[in-house]
Amino acid sequence: MKISTAEMYKISLPLRSPFKTSFGQMTSKDFILLVLHDQNGNCGYGECSAFATPFYTEEFRDSAYLLLKDTLLPALLNQELAAPDQLAGLFNKIRGNHMAKAAIDNACWDLFAKRQHQALAKAIGGVKRQVTAGVSIGIQPSPGALVAAVSTYVAAGYQRVKVKIKPGADYAYLKAVRDQFPRLELMADANSAYTLSDAATLQRLDALKLLMIEQPLAADDLVQHAKLQRELRTPLCLDESITGLAAAQAMIQLGSGRIINIKVSRVGGLSAAKQIQALARANQLDCWCGGMLGSGVARAADIAAASLPGFTLPNDISSSQRYFEKDIITPEITQENGKIMVPTAAGIGYDLNWAVIHQYATETATI
């Protein structure tokens, strides 16, 4: 296939309610929608999930927008591609910037699947008809408020709940949830809010029988995580530290954790996600698919990834209505009894809702 034209849309999609983590609070999801057109009139959709500021990784939306417009997309146009796996070689001179590259990779996979008249999940090797949904809850003002929030999502059918934590909002908050829901699949996400000196605090969480503690230490660390894992019974899950296949290999060799959160956008797209899940599966590590508060386009790619056999735990994939009053896809993503059906239509399986896109787009470009 050959990409003839690319369109980009900067979008700020309002959240239904503010989302608070140890990094701060967000009231909207800022992202880039990418539409790639081939020479035959087909189109593929991808999303760059980089946030407005570089708090999660070094990337942020405006830098990704410029890199896509001025460098990555011009290098892509009119290149002959037999399959999306070839993109890594095309961009190997550009270091990092995985979320910008992921937008192209995912859009190419969507386009490739449509040209093959296949569902995206099938095109990448997915085998599941449905994936298990999980929900992520931001830091709440009190343990009681957290229990109330968790109760809402448990009643809605979610089988796994992730709770954001930080020093001072950890053990008491999680214990309140565990006391109320003794059998709930419960996990904590620290977003690098702790250091190794907090090991005693994190050891207290062992008593709560959590599914995992996600990314307690620094985003660029593997060695300290390995030391901490030896002091905990609860499995550590790495998120920000896993920037690609090499980082996952190092994690396994060092024993830095027992679970990998594969965020499709963070690792560079579906091509890289496939490689990491295969590595984890070969080494008996559990994996699951994390989210970036993404729109329906990003979630569609996440659903496809989670259909791969190496994804063994419930995912951070929830319904569109969990975060947005209006999503940019139609029909919107829904869950029932904690499950989301894997689309069977060609490509991502959803159409774009252009009315919503134009309502919340702040800048556009055609390359």
Side-chain angles (χ1 to χ4, degrees):
M1 61 185 179
K2 185 183 292 187
I3 308 301
S4 59
T5 308
E7 302 168 49
M8 291 197 300
Y9 301 81
K10 272 189 191 177
I11 297 174
S12 294
L13 198 60
L15 296 173
R16 289 172 66 95
S17 58
F19 191 81
K20 188 176 181 181
T21 72
S22 61
F23 293 131
Q25 179 172 286
M26 288 179 286
T27 57
S28 66
K29 172 56 185 175
D30 299 327
F31 63 96
I32 301 166
L33 171 66
L34 176 66
V35 183
L36 298 181
H37 300 266
D38 72 4
Q39 71 276 27
N40 298 326
N42 303 300
C43 61
Y45 308 133
E47 177 175 319
C48 175
S49 295
F51 294 104
T53 59
F55 68 85
Y56 178 71
T57 69
E58 295 87 347
E59 282 183 89
F60 58 102
R61 186 180 64 167
D62 287 354
S63 69
Y65 191 84
L66 290 175
L67 184 67
L68 284 163
K69 182 168 67 73
D70 296 340
T71 304
L72 296 180
L73 290 172
L76 173 68
L77 295 184
N78 297 313
Q79 294 287 337
E80 291 282 355
L81 296 173
D85 303 277
Q86 292 180 280
L87 290 170
L90 191 61
F91 300 137
N92 59 9
K93 293 183 179 180
I94 305 298
R95 293 188 180 183
N97 292 280
H98 299 300
M99 287 188 272
K101 293 175 181 176
I104 295 177
D105 186 83
N106 293 349
C108 281
W109 272 110
D110 180 33
L111 181 57
F112 176 79
K114 288 172 178 172
R115 289 168 58 96
Q116 301 296 318
H117 307 289
Q118 286 184 325
L120 177 59
K122 184 176 181 180
I124 67 169
V127 297
K128 301 171 190 171
R129 298 179 60 187
Q130 59 185 13
V131 299
T132 305
V135 66
S136 179
I137 299 177
I139 296 172
Q140 300 296 302
S142 68
L146 176 59
V147 170
V150 171
S151 298
T152 299
Y153 294 111
V154 170
Y158 288 100
Q159 299 175 19
R160 193 230 66 196
V161 172
K162 179 169 83 173
V163 173
K164 298 286 186 177
I165 62 170
K166 66 178 182 178
D170 41 42
Y171 178 79
Y173 288 68
L174 291 165
K175 186 177 186 303
V177 176
R178 177 54 78 214
D179 288 346
Q180 184 71 25
F181 301 100
R183 288 182 292 276
L184 177 66
E185 288 192 294
L186 178 65
M187 59 175 287
D189 183 7
N191 288 119
S192 304
Y194 298 83
T195 68
L196 199 57
S197 64
D198 297 309
T201 297
L202 296 171
Q203 283 174 331
R204 293 187 72 197
L205 303 183
D206 278 340
L208 302 179
K209 297 181 179 179
L210 302 177
L211 189 63
M212 70 191 83
I213 301 171
E214 184 180 357
Q215 197 69 42
L217 307 181
D220 60 354
D221 170 74
L222 292 173
V223 174
Q224 300 298 311
H225 274 104
K227 292 180 180 179
L228 180 61
Q229 180 65 91
R230 290 194 290 270
E231 298 184 32
L232 300 177
R233 295 194 307 271
T234 305
L236 293 184
C237 170
L238 294 193
D239 174 2
E240 291 95 324
S241 296
I242 306 302
T243 54
L245 183 63
Q249 291 169 330
M251 170 194 171
I252 292 169
Q253 291 172 6
L254 292 169
S256 307
R258 302 173 192 157
I259 300 171
I260 301 177
N261 173 356
I262 301 179
K263 287 183 177 173
V264 174
S265 182
R266 188 196 66 244
V267 301
L270 288 165
S271 298
K274 287 172 56 186
Q275 293 177 326
I276 296 170
Q277 69 88 30
L279 174 72
R281 191 181 185 202
N283 287 274
Q284 293 81 50
L285 263 69
D286 286 314
C287 286
W288 55 284
C289 185
M292 300 274 291
L293 296 181
S295 80
V297 169
R299 285 166 198 263
D302 292 344
I303 292 169
S307 75
L308 291 164
F311 286 79
T312 53
L313 296 174
N315 308 280
D316 258 357
I317 306 173
S318 52
S319 67
S320 296
Q321 287 295 307
R322 162 67 180 96
Y323 295 111
F324 308 114
E325 293 285 355
K326 301 176 182 177
D327 205 343
I328 66 168
I329 59 167
T330 182
E332 294 190 348
I333 295 169
T334 58
Q335 67 87 25
E336 185 174 351
N337 297 321
K339 303 290 184 180
I340 295 176
M341 298 304 298
V342 177
T344 56
I348 63 171
Y350 301 92
D351 294 320
L352 296 188
N353 187 331
W354 286 104
V356 174
I357 291 167
H358 291 309
Q359 180 179 0
Y360 294 110
T362 59
E363 187 175 343
T364 64
T366 301
I367 298 90

